[in-house]
Amino acid sequence: ALNLERRFHLLNGQIEELKLSVEQSDASKKNAENQFNELADRFSQANERIAHLTSEKRQLEATIVALQSDLDE
């Protein structure tokens, strides 16, 4: 009986350690997901900014061509 009680307490302690480990893993997973989502948002914003700047560049290049054409006339 004493041996079974020791074994029970030992297994119970291991269960508690595993529960704690799972909780820590879940917290780490949530943190990683939050970081991923933040980086995905920043990446999306950067792509939008690049698209906007590319459009502005094309417009400025068209304006330069038009001004050069006016100068050549």
Side-chain angles (χ1 to χ4, degrees):
L2 188 59
N3 195 20
L4 287 176
E5 188 174 333
R6 285 183 192 160
R7 186 167 180 192
F8 171 79
H9 288 297
L10 177 65
L11 291 173
N12 203 30
Q14 289 175 341
I15 289 171
E16 291 303 315
E17 288 177 16
L18 289 172
K19 284 181 183 179
L20 181 60
S21 180
V22 168
E23 288 175 7
Q24 291 172 341
S25 294
D26 285 345
S28 294
K29 179 184 173 189
K30 287 178 186 178
N31 187 34
E33 287 172 344
N34 288 339
Q35 289 178 350
F36 173 81
N37 290 333
E38 182 180 323
L39 288 173
D41 288 344
R42 289 173 60 191
F43 180 77
S44 178
Q45 291 171 357
N47 277 335
E48 289 174 11
R49 183 72 176 138
I50 288 169
H52 177 74
L53 290 172
T54 300
S55 175
E56 282 186 4
K57 179 185 173 202
R58 276 192 231 113
Q59 291 174 356
L60 289 171
E61 288 171 341
T63 301
I64 290 170
V65 168
L67 289 172
Q68 286 175 337
S69 177
D70 288 347
L71 286 176
D72 292 342
E73 292 177 1

